[in-house]
Amino acid sequence: MPTTTVRHVGLRDMLTLLESQQATKVDVVAPATAVHARDGLIELSGVEPAVDERGVTPIDGLYLPTAAADSQIATKLDIPVRYLRKLREQDRSDLYDANVNGWLHGRPRPDTPAEPDSRQFLLRLFTSNTPGEPGVLRALLSDRYGIVDNLDLLTAVMDGIRQADEQAQFRSCDLSDTALRCKVYSPGVAALAPHFLRDYRNPFANPDLEAERQRVAGRIGSLRSLAAGEGQGYAPGSEPVVFAGFRFSNSETGHHALTLKPELVVKICGNGLTLPMFAFTKRHLGDKLDVGAVGWSQDTLRKRLAVITAETRDKVREWLSPQFLGERVAELEDAAATPVTQPDKTIEVIAKNLGFSESERSGILAHFVAGGQLTGAGIANAVTSFSQTLPDPDRADVLDDLALSAMALA
């Protein structure tokens, strides 16, 4: 099974990972009658093999749903998501099969005919390279889902950056079962933010907090070497500089729209403060797909990617400009100096308002204390530094989007 979740890796490593995923990726549209649950797995039967440049790939067989795919199965069949997850966690494959098959295929009765599901679904799969081992069901989607693969998106965005002729560099990339997320910044577009970063210390000078960040990176030293390569460094007391940047994300599995949004990158510690109010999003909508293996003509693919490349080029020119950065920093500076005299109480109230868990509240407080910045800006910086230690890149992105709201609440 290909690796599906990584945190804080460089562009080269991400390209290698996505290329390895492409080698086992298959998409197929199948009617509900071809989909069955067996021993907690999803079994496909009666589906024609996929024929492409790799040759003939059989589709029939068993597939293990990811947690993300289980949530989609539950949603499509109106089964409570928490209930289906509980069956998975408690190894009740008998009840899992009964629920999924019951809603897919109906319940035959002597006096009442079965009422099977009449829909057809797009199933996104990883095939197995090991005989006897199941493949992976990545997603169960509508047959109108518009596919944009992560590798194609990454290539299109890189082309848009090249066309914009900006000196942009990739900071890091994350991948999960639900999304690809990459962060880009321009070392040549920087501004001073003396109020926003007044008295701010690098929280990762604390060995325990740095260990948490390294732990989720998956390999010791990857973050430190990446930052060193960008010329950012980790020494406390660095000048109060922020860089212009942006991040983009895509979901191959139907959990998120394709999104680009600007961010401000703090030199001291690599925090990324996103500006979601400026985000560009494109939903994954397409034409109705025919039953069978899914393949796109090169002309259709080029047209889809050309739109993404053009949008990236235009957004990069706008967001990685001194004017845009200066305006955003001025807005931050106005709101940054609000004093925080009761950190415990303040962060408790913020956590309740923004839906942070107890462990997130505790972690943000630890980063606030380590950052030494007793202001609203310190709250925002604590949220975005703490997010770097979260194993789940999707949740980390949500926290980065909420950092400005947290500062406003402070």
Side-chain angles (χ1 to χ4, degrees), residues 92-209:
R92 290 303 307 268
S93 58
D94 56 333
L95 292 177
Y96 181 99
D97 294 352
N99 277 271
V100 173
N101 288 330
W103 289 110
L104 278 175
H105 305 294
R107 185 174 65 175
R109 298 176 180 174
D111 56 342
T112 305
E115 296 182 359
D117 196 314
S118 61
R119 291 173 294 177
Q120 59 188 34
F121 303 105
L122 169 64
L123 296 94
R124 308 213 69 188
L125 311 168
F126 285 140
T127 58
S128 174
N129 292 323
T130 305
E133 291 292 321
V136 176
L137 173 61
R138 308 168 57 217
L140 183 78
L141 301 165
S142 160
D143 59 359
R144 290 185 178 275
Y145 185 75
I147 295 174
V148 177
D149 279 338
N150 289 333
L151 184 58
D152 293 329
L153 169 75
L154 185 51
T155 302
V157 170
M158 291 169 62
D159 193 33
I161 293 171
R162 180 188 59 79
Q163 290 183 20
D165 197 26
E166 298 289 346
Q167 298 303 309
Q169 299 180 15
F170 278 73
R171 294 203 299 133
S172 68
C173 301
D174 300 325
L175 183 67
S176 71
D177 286 337
T178 60
L180 165 74
R181 303 184 187 278
C182 293
K183 303 172 184 177
V184 180
Y185 87 112
S186 176
V189 182
L192 293 176
H195 295 297
F196 183 69
L197 296 174
R198 177 174 294 159
D199 300 324
Y200 183 52
R201 302 189 302 262
N202 175 18
F204 296 110
N206 180 315
D208 292 336
L209 300 185

Side-chain angles (χ1 to χ4, degrees), residues 314-352:
D314 295 344
K315 295 302 181 185
V316 166
R317 286 174 176 167
E318 176 187 356
W319 294 340
L320 302 190
S321 68
Q323 179 181 356
F324 184 86
L325 177 63
E327 291 172 351
R328 304 292 80 76
V329 168
E331 293 166 358
L332 280 180
E333 292 282 88
D334 287 343
T338 303
V340 175
T341 57
Q342 296 180 296
D344 285 0
K345 183 64 176 177
T346 299
I347 293 176
E348 180 182 352
V349 171
I350 289 172
K352 289 180 179 178

Side-chain angles (χ1 to χ4, degrees), residues 15-334:
L15 285 169
T16 300
L17 174 56
L18 295 180
E19 286 167 355
S20 71
Q21 287 190 347
Q22 289 292 110
T24 62
K25 189 180 295 181
V26 175
D27 300 314
V28 62
V29 175
T33 53
V35 183
H36 296 80
R38 179 156 71 88
D39 298 330
L41 303 175
I42 295 299
E43 182 177 35
L44 296 180
S45 59
V47 179
E48 291 293 321
V51 181
D52 55 24
E53 67 277 2
R54 294 173 292 181
V56 179
T57 303
I59 302 298
D60 283 357
L62 294 170
Y63 298 87
L64 174 64
T66 63
D70 266 342
S71 70
Q72 290 172 328
I73 291 171
T75 300
K76 292 291 185 187
L77 301 180
D78 289 329
I79 302 170
V81 174
R82 291 181 61 185
Y83 173 64
L84 204 64
R85 286 176 180 165
K86 181 179 179 180
L87 299 181
R88 176 75 66 192
E89 292 166 358
Q90 297 191 1
D91 197 24
R92 290 303 307 268
S93 58
D94 56 333
L95 292 177
Y96 181 99
D97 294 352
N99 277 271
V100 173
N101 288 330
W103 289 110
L104 278 175
H105 305 294
R107 185 174 65 175
R109 298 176 180 174
D111 56 342
T112 305
E115 296 182 359
D117 196 314
S118 61
R119 291 173 294 177
Q120 59 188 34
F121 303 105
L122 169 64
L123 296 94
R124 308 213 69 188
L125 311 168
F126 285 140
T127 58
S128 174
N129 292 323
T130 305
E133 291 292 321
V136 176
L137 173 61
R138 308 168 57 217
L140 183 78
L141 301 165
S142 160
D143 59 359
R144 290 185 178 275
Y145 185 75
I147 295 174
V148 177
D149 279 338
N150 289 333
L151 184 58
D152 293 329
L153 169 75
L154 185 51
T155 302
V157 170
M158 291 169 62
D159 193 33
I161 293 171
R162 180 188 59 79
Q163 290 183 20
D165 197 26
E166 298 289 346
Q167 298 303 309
Q169 299 180 15
F170 278 73
R171 294 203 299 133
S172 68
C173 301
D174 300 325
L175 183 67
S176 71
D177 286 337
T178 60
L180 165 74
R181 303 184 187 278
C182 293
K183 303 172 184 177
V184 180
Y185 87 112
S186 176
V189 182
L192 293 176
H195 295 297
F196 183 69
L197 296 174
R198 177 174 294 159
D199 300 324
Y200 183 52
R201 302 189 302 262
N202 175 18
F204 296 110
N206 180 315
D208 292 336
L209 300 185
E210 174 64 5
E212 285 297 300
R213 180 162 65 167
Q214 295 290 353
R215 180 180 58 80
V216 303
R219 55 177 183 162
I220 298 299
S222 62
L223 275 170
R224 193 174 292 278
S225 62
L226 180 64
E230 295 170 346
Q232 290 191 36
Y234 277 74
S238 297
E239 58 269 51
V241 170
V242 294
F243 298 108
F246 75 100
R247 63 178 67 180
F248 61 92
S249 62
N250 180 57
S251 177
E252 294 186 335
T253 54
H255 291 83
H256 307 283
L258 189 160
T259 303
L260 296 92
K261 56 190 171 188
E263 71 171 350
L264 308 181
V265 182
V266 177
K267 177 179 180 180
I268 293 173
C269 59
N271 291 354
L273 186 73
T274 60
L275 306 172
M277 67 287 291
F278 295 98
F280 164 80
T281 60
K282 182 176 178 60
R283 297 181 63 194
H284 289 268
L285 293 177
D287 297 329
K288 186 177 178 64
L289 301 171
D290 294 330
V291 170
V294 176
W296 300 106
S297 71
Q298 288 302 305
D299 182 59
T300 299
L301 184 60
R302 279 195 297 268
K303 288 178 180 178
R304 283 176 178 264
L305 298 180
V307 173
I308 297 170
T309 296
E311 288 290 347
T312 301
R313 178 197 62 218
D314 295 344
K315 295 302 181 185
V316 166
R317 286 174 176 167
E318 176 187 356
W319 294 340
L320 302 190
S321 68
Q323 179 181 356
F324 184 86
L325 177 63
E327 291 172 351
R328 304 292 80 76
V329 168
E331 293 166 358
L332 280 180
E333 292 282 88
D334 287 343

